Amino acid sequence: MRLLVVGGGGREHALCWTFRRENPDADLFCAPGNPGTAELATNLPIPADDLDRIADAADMHGVDLTVVGPEVPLARGLADRLRAEGRAVFGPGAAAAQIEASKAFAKDVMASAGIPTAASRTFQALGPALAYVDRHAEPLVVKASGLAAGKGAVVCATRAEAASAVRSMLGDRAFGAAGTTVVIEDFLVGEEISVLAVTDGRDVELLPVSQDHKRLLEGDAGPNTGGMGAYSPVAVATPAVLERARREVLEPALVELRRRGAPFTGVLYAGLMVDAAGTPWVVEFNCRLGDPETQVVLPVLSGGFTESLWHVALGEQVSPIARHSDRCSVTTVLASRGYPDRPESGAEIELPSTLPDGVTIFHAGTARDADGRLTVKGGRVLNVTAVAPSFAEAQRLSRHVAEAVRFEGKIYRRDIGWREAERVAR
Ligand code: AMP
Ligand code: GLY
């Protein structure tokens, strides 16, 4: 089997790691990949959103299965393009990827399908949006409708803050084209979980549930980021909550997308706010695996992942994916000073010479300089995933190794999994 992973972050390193583990003899390629994927696969120096060159590379290397990591190439139609050329590809077409690329579209799908989500209105003109904010109860949430790398949602404690967020999006075009439409919605109360559903468009196979930490700083303070760490499993995601997520969120969304002529295959990611009654309210949908959720979830799988993706890519029924139900996992993200706005780069990275059992370091924003030294290249630099029999042990190991990695300007949260830690302590 010849497999191509598209993307170059921590998620893609975890994908390559899992594919290699499940398929020791496969020919693996990653475009563009990173120094971590280079140890498992052949990196192809092609940006993930260069559709022409990715398609050419799939052709040239006789790729059997392409798995697309990031949302941008999906929203631009990479999966459609490859499928039109007769290739098996795991990931939705552009029409279905709108579930992430347009929050206005996602809200419309949810309204049609009766899916629990915050009440909202969509605006393109500044005046009516400000008038709506003026009548809205506090707190409220203002979101750029388009793709904004996880930074397009502003949770506003007051109407004044919301008005200024609306002005910066619709007036000053702070998010460019992504912010020409804004969604203003009610604030949801509860605990967030990330539900990743591998789907053939009808049936779903849930991956283990995880919880991301979107805020930059300990105690969930500071700005929203792409995600500073995650853990799995999450106690609030009980079998009853997951059954509701399946029946009230995932299946109705898939039915509605089919009805609209945009059938979804790939991973449908539901970001859910679970309230005290166990109702799963949708905060957002993504059209792909999460980052860093992938890095925390894939290491607890015990088999069947490649095969399931392969079935879906061939248009067949999604097949079961096995997991180690007696394992807990914690991922700590190491970022570079200045992230998310202006991350520093260039510092040399020193990794521990040996890692404790159960610990894996996934690369994200790393590079090799001319002398082969590992250096900081991007905002989120490395992910330290620890798998252990207990949550407390996984948390301890992940934090311990995060501390041991060295580079100038390293920032990370020492409190990944704090909600679970409080539950364990009770
Ligand atoms: P999004 O880009 O839509 O995922 O939003 C980013 C983050 O903002 C989410 O992960 C939540 O933590 C928070 N958020 C977004 N929408 C809401 C909401 N309606 N109520 C409460 N928090 C929200
Ligand atoms: N970690 C959130 C995301 O992947 O969108």
Side-chain angles (χ1 to χ4, degrees):
M1 175 149 65
R2 298 170 81 80
L3 264 156
L4 168 63
V5 173
V6 177
R11 166 182 50 212
E12 287 75 25
H13 188 184
L15 280 167
C16 287
W17 183 86
T18 306
F19 290 141
R20 177 54 74 215
R21 195 162 69 152
E22 291 191 353
N23 313 277
D25 300 326
D27 284 323
L28 263 183
F29 300 90
C30 192
N34 61 38
T37 65
E39 292 180 7
L40 303 162
T42 305
N43 281 351
L44 307 174
I46 305 172
D49 55 3
D50 189 333
L51 274 49
D52 290 336
R53 290 180 60 207
I54 300 269
D56 286 347
D59 211 26
M60 187 161 74
H61 296 287
V63 167
D64 299 305
L65 169 64
T66 303
V67 177
V68 185
E71 63 277 15
V72 170
L74 291 168
R76 292 192 188 160
L78 178 57
D80 305 294
R81 165 84 183 261
L82 294 172
R83 276 196 274 269
E85 294 175 5
R87 300 205 166 277
V89 45
F90 182 82
Q98 289 298 300
I99 197 79
E100 171 169 4
S102 166
K103 289 187 194 287
F105 174 79
K107 281 293 189 182
D108 199 55
V109 166
M110 288 187 265
S112 305
I115 294 170
T117 187
S120 73
R121 290 272 305 271
T122 296
F123 298 93
Q124 281 163 329
L126 184 58
L130 289 173
Y132 183 72
V133 165
D134 216 36
R135 303 194 297 274
H136 198 290
E138 297 171 340
L140 64 172
V141 183
V142 177
K143 297 181 176 180
S145 178
L147 293 177
K151 296 169 205 159
V154 190
V155 177
C156 306
T158 64
R159 281 188 284 273
E161 268 177 55
S164 103
V166 165
R167 275 198 200 90
S168 89
M169 288 178 198
L170 289 179
D172 308 336
R173 297 280 183 248
F175 288 93
T180 53
T181 298
V182 302
V183 173
I184 303 176
E185 68 180 21
D186 293 359
F187 180 76
L188 295 168
V189 178
E191 188 163 337
E192 265 181 278
I193 56 173
S194 300
V195 175
L196 308 177
V198 179
T199 180
D200 53 29
R202 290 174 193 275
D203 291 325
V204 301
E205 178 68 18
L206 297 190
L207 295 176
V209 174
S210 58
Q211 183 168 75
D212 190 10
H213 296 58
K214 298 226 160 125
R215 302 297 193 113
L216 181 68
L217 304 174
E218 286 171 18
D220 288 336
N224 266 331
T225 69
M228 294 299 292
Y231 67 94
S232 176
V234 187
V236 287
T238 60
V241 165
L242 292 183
E243 189 53 26
R244 290 191 65 181
R246 189 189 279 272
R247 298 265 172 259
E248 296 173 33
V249 174
L250 296 164
E251 288 170 0
L254 294 172
V255 168
E256 179 61 20
L257 285 166
R258 270 206 312 276
R259 195 187 68 77
R260 292 178 181 224
F264 188 104
T265 66
V267 169
L268 182 59
Y269 164 140
L272 302 175
M273 190 74 84
V274 180
D275 69 12
T279 303
W281 300 85
V282 175
V283 176
E284 62 165 345
F285 279 120
N286 292 321
C287 65
R288 52 170 175 87
L289 287 158
D291 186 339
E293 286 92 335
T294 305
Q295 296 90 300
V296 84
V297 160
L298 296 194
V300 291
L301 299 181
S302 57
F305 182 72
T306 318
E307 205 179 325
S308 199
L309 270 52
W310 180 234
H311 286 303
V312 168
L314 291 176
E316 298 167 3
Q317 192 179 11
V318 62
S319 52
I321 299 169
R323 70 190 62 186
H324 293 287
S325 53
D326 55 350
R327 286 287 182 277
C328 297
S329 178
V330 174
T331 297
T332 302
V333 170
L334 306 181
S336 172
R337 189 161 53 211
Y339 178 72
D341 295 328
R342 262 171 234 208
E344 294 172 8
S345 63
E348 192 174 337
I349 301 169
E350 210 183 306
L351 297 178
S353 51
T354 57
L355 294 175
D357 278 352
V359 175
T360 311
I361 297 182
F362 294 116
H363 290 236
T366 63
R368 292 242 178 239
D369 69 11
D371 301 320
R373 281 188 300 243
L374 194 65
T375 60
V376 171
K377 185 178 132 204
R380 289 190 290 176
V381 182
L382 294 161
N383 307 262
V384 180
T385 296
V387 176
S390 72
F391 167 78
E393 181 62 4
Q395 191 190 38
R396 190 190 69 76
L397 277 173
S398 176
R399 193 161 43 194
H400 172 71
V401 175
E403 267 153 21
V405 173
R406 291 215 196 114
F407 61 86
E408 171 61 24
K410 176 181 78 173
I411 54 172
Y412 66 103
R413 286 180 57 167
R414 290 175 186 76
D415 68 342
I416 300 305
W418 65 270
R419 285 193 174 82
E420 202 71 9
E422 282 184 0
R423 275 191 280 272
V424 171
R426 271 204 297 273

